[in-house]
């Protein structure tokens, strides 16, 4: 039996053909599923015997809500979702004036080992399937009654370590028979797996690529992110330039400011030199303090100074608005406190 959310439209067309059905049935079924009809018997334009075949081969599975927290001002929801094998992951929904964003997880845990991040403390348990990632959106929409219009892959996991499932997820989300969310409304965030960035560039998608850079030099980056031992900043920026050349899309660099580690004026100048002339934008994030990491947040004054230096040097920069910190919305903290208890 297969979770129908794990099938792309192409997969379902092939299945229909192999099972003696007309290929347009795939579109009809897809249309029902993504309008959230999760019961084959209610698909009233599909013949009875086709429904029987579908029921014998497919099931619907959405994650279960273990916990839902709502921030005081009600602009952020945080979910702890559980899959059939009892693994739990986090998903966050953020309400903005321009629409609602969802931050999805792509793996259970993460193996990248970034020193400031709570998601990676227990390593990676497994990849999520495309249907499991999609399930986070469908369940969040069902539970909140809100329609999601933007997706960021910034929950737990490294999306480029789960490349095929993530790509299938993007295609289903983007398909007009799926969730019909434009590629420009989808952001993939990576710690910087260089060969996979090149593969992604070759897909020629219009999604936004976000790179977790976090440091202006390899030495500092190595102290924060083990991946920096494998790929240096020069190679990483070269891959980013290739992505820009192939897609003409502006890259986002994420930079979590840690007091005394990467937040001095010199660091801002060094970062400006490295990014000069690139089609990019720097997203400055006050590091979210995770008690195991020992990294402390920069002061607001430092963050402002850092941002001003980038801007003075012609690098676009904004400071990320903090949302949901009252509900532990950041970076694997909720799953960690939950799994530590059980
Ligand atoms: N593995 C991917 C996506 C998941 S992490 C990546 O590394 O990009 C999403 C973003 O949250 C990354 O930019 C990551 O560096 C950042 N992040 C993780 N822990 C954080 C923390 N404690 N404070 C601020 N940002 C954090």
């Amino acid at each position: 039996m297969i979770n129908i959310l794990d099938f792309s439209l192409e997969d379902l067309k092939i299945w229909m053909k192999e099972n003696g059905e007309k290929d347009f049935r795939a579109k009809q079924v897809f249309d029902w599923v993504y309008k959230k009809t999760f019961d084959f018997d209610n698909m009233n334009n599909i013949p009875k015997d086709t429904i029987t075949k579908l029921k014998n081969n497919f099931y619907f599975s959405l994650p279960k809500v273990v916990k839902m927290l709502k921030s005081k001002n009600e602009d952020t929801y945080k979910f702890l979702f559980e899959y059939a094998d009892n693994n739990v992951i986090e998903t966050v929904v953020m309400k903005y004036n321009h629409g609602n964003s969802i931050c999805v997880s792509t793996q259970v845990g993460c193996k990248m080992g970034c020193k400031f991040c709570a998601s990676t403390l227990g390593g990676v348990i497994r990849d999520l399937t495309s249907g499991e990632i999609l399930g986070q959106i469908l369940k969040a929409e069902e539970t909140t009654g809100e329609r999601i219009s933007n997706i960021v892959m910034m929950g737990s996991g490294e999306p480029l370590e789960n490349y095929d499932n993530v790509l299938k997820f993007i295609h289903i989300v983007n398909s007009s028979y799926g969730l019909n969310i434009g590629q420009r409304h989808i952001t993939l965030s990576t710690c910087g797996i260089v060969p996979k960035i090149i593969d992604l560039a070759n897909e020629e998608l219009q999604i936004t690529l976000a790179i977790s850079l976090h440091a202006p030099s390899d030495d500092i980056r190595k102290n924060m992110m083990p991946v920096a031992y494998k790929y240096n900043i020069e190679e990483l920026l070269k891959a980013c330039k290739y992505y820009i050349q192939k897609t003409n899309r502006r890259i986002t660099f994420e930079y979590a400011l840690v007091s005394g580690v990467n937040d001095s004026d010199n660091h801002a100048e060094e970062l400006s030199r490295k990014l000069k002339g690139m089609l990019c934008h720097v997203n400055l994030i006050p590091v979210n303090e995770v008690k195991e990491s020992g990294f402390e947040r920069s002061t607001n004054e430092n963050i402002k100074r850092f941002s001003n230096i980038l801007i003075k040097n012609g690098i676009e920069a904004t400071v990320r608005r903090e949302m949901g910190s009252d509900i532990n919305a950041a970076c694997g903290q909720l799953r960690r406190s939950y799994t530590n208890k059980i």
Side-chain angles (χ1 to χ4, degrees):
M1 292 287 274
I2 299 162
N3 181 4
I4 192 132
L5 299 177
D6 279 327
F7 256 42
S8 67
L9 183 59
E10 265 324 297
D11 295 336
L12 197 57
K13 277 186 185 167
I14 293 168
W15 185 89
M16 289 288 178
K17 219 177 263 156
E18 284 172 1
N19 285 274
E21 298 287 340
K22 297 264 167 19
D23 130 317
F24 71 89
R25 295 284 176 217
K27 283 187 182 159
Q28 289 179 319
V29 171
F30 234 60
D31 210 35
W32 283 114
V33 172
Y34 291 96
K35 285 196 178 109
K36 301 198 180 60
T37 296
F38 299 138
D39 184 348
F40 290 114
D41 287 321
N42 290 337
M43 299 183 175
N44 62 23
N45 54 359
I46 310 289
K48 282 265 169 318
D49 56 325
T50 314
I51 289 183
T52 308
K53 279 191 210 167
L54 285 164
K55 278 162 71 175
N56 288 337
N57 286 277
F58 296 99
Y59 64 98
F60 292 97
S61 175
L62 291 179
K64 218 169 67 191
V65 181
V66 180
K67 210 173 211 171
M68 184 183 89
L69 304 174
K70 212 192 269 188
S71 65
K72 274 198 209 81
N73 55 1
E74 306 206 348
D75 64 359
T76 310
Y77 295 86
K78 176 133 196 175
F79 291 95
L80 198 60
F81 284 137
E82 183 177 355
Y83 294 108
D85 64 356
N86 298 329
N87 273 310
V88 293
I89 54 98
E90 298 178 27
T91 303
V92 183
V93 173
M94 290 152 288
K95 288 163 63 173
Y96 296 103
N97 294 335
H98 61 266
N100 300 318
S101 283
I102 193 165
C103 173
V104 295
S105 292
T106 54
Q107 295 180 305
V108 182
C110 183
K111 73 165 190 196
M112 302 317 298
C114 299
K115 300 263 178 61
F116 44 84
C117 178
S119 300
T120 197
L121 288 167
V124 69
I125 295 177
R126 67 172 178 86
D127 289 340
L128 293 178
T129 68
S130 57
E132 286 175 325
I133 309 172
L134 268 167
Q136 298 170 46
I137 305 179
L138 298 177
K139 194 67 186 183
E141 284 190 336
E142 184 186 282
T143 317
T144 59
E146 300 281 350
R147 162 126 173 75
I148 305 288
S149 49
N150 283 285
I151 298 169
V152 299
M153 284 171 247
M154 292 187 188
S156 68
E158 169 48 52
L160 295 185
E161 285 280 304
N162 185 14
Y163 191 87
D164 293 344
N165 290 340
V166 161
L167 223 66
K168 195 188 228 188
F169 162 75
I170 294 171
H171 283 302
I172 297 176
V173 160
N174 181 228
S175 157
S176 55
Y177 294 94
L179 290 179
N180 200 17
I181 295 179
Q183 291 185 11
R184 288 162 182 251
H185 296 268
I186 303 172
T187 299
L188 184 153
S189 176
T190 176
C191 65
I193 320 269
V194 167
K196 295 286 181 195
I197 294 174
I198 292 165
D199 289 348
L200 189 67
N202 289 332
E203 310 276 352
E204 299 194 36
L205 297 171
Q206 282 295 297
I207 62 170
T208 300
L209 179 63
I211 304 284
S212 301
L213 188 60
H214 301 318
S217 69
D218 289 317
D219 284 347
I220 299 175
R221 200 160 187 262
K222 282 177 186 165
N223 280 328
M224 302 175 76
M225 309 174 71
V227 70
Y229 285 94
K230 195 144 186 204
Y231 308 108
N232 63 31
I233 293 182
E234 196 187 329
E235 293 172 272
L236 177 57
L237 294 183
K238 205 167 145 211
C240 291
K241 284 176 190 157
Y242 181 66
Y243 188 88
I244 296 168
Q245 182 203 324
K246 290 292 272 188
T247 63
N248 214 16
R249 297 286 292 153
R250 186 181 76 164
I251 289 202
T252 300
F253 289 105
E254 294 155 277
Y255 195 103
L257 287 145
V258 184
S259 179
V261 173
N262 64 357
D263 67 340
S264 74
D265 292 2
N266 282 342
H267 295 145
E269 294 289 356
E270 194 177 355
L271 182 65
S272 307
R273 283 195 295 278
K274 294 240 158 87
L275 301 185
K276 192 113 213 130
M278 255 178 108
L279 181 61
C280 71
H281 170 263
V282 178
N283 204 195
L284 297 168
I285 313 156
V287 79
N288 225 292
E289 293 182 9
V290 173
K291 83 174 180 301
E292 289 86 341
S293 79
F295 285 152
E296 281 170 28
R297 185 186 190 287
S298 298
T299 59
N300 286 343
E301 196 195 339
N302 256 6
I303 296 172
K304 191 78 211 142
R305 268 220 325 273
F306 199 97
S307 159
N308 285 342
I309 295 173
L310 294 181
I311 293 166
K312 175 199 84 190
N313 290 327
I315 312 286
E316 259 184 65
T318 46
V319 178
R320 186 182 292 171
R321 187 152 69 91
E322 286 180 272
M323 290 170 83
S325 45
D326 58 325
I327 53 169
N328 259 348
C331 320
Q333 295 176 356
L334 183 63
R335 170 172 178 267
R336 179 133 184 99
S337 62
Y338 179 77
T339 49
N340 273 353
K341 265 186 229 132
I342 53 175

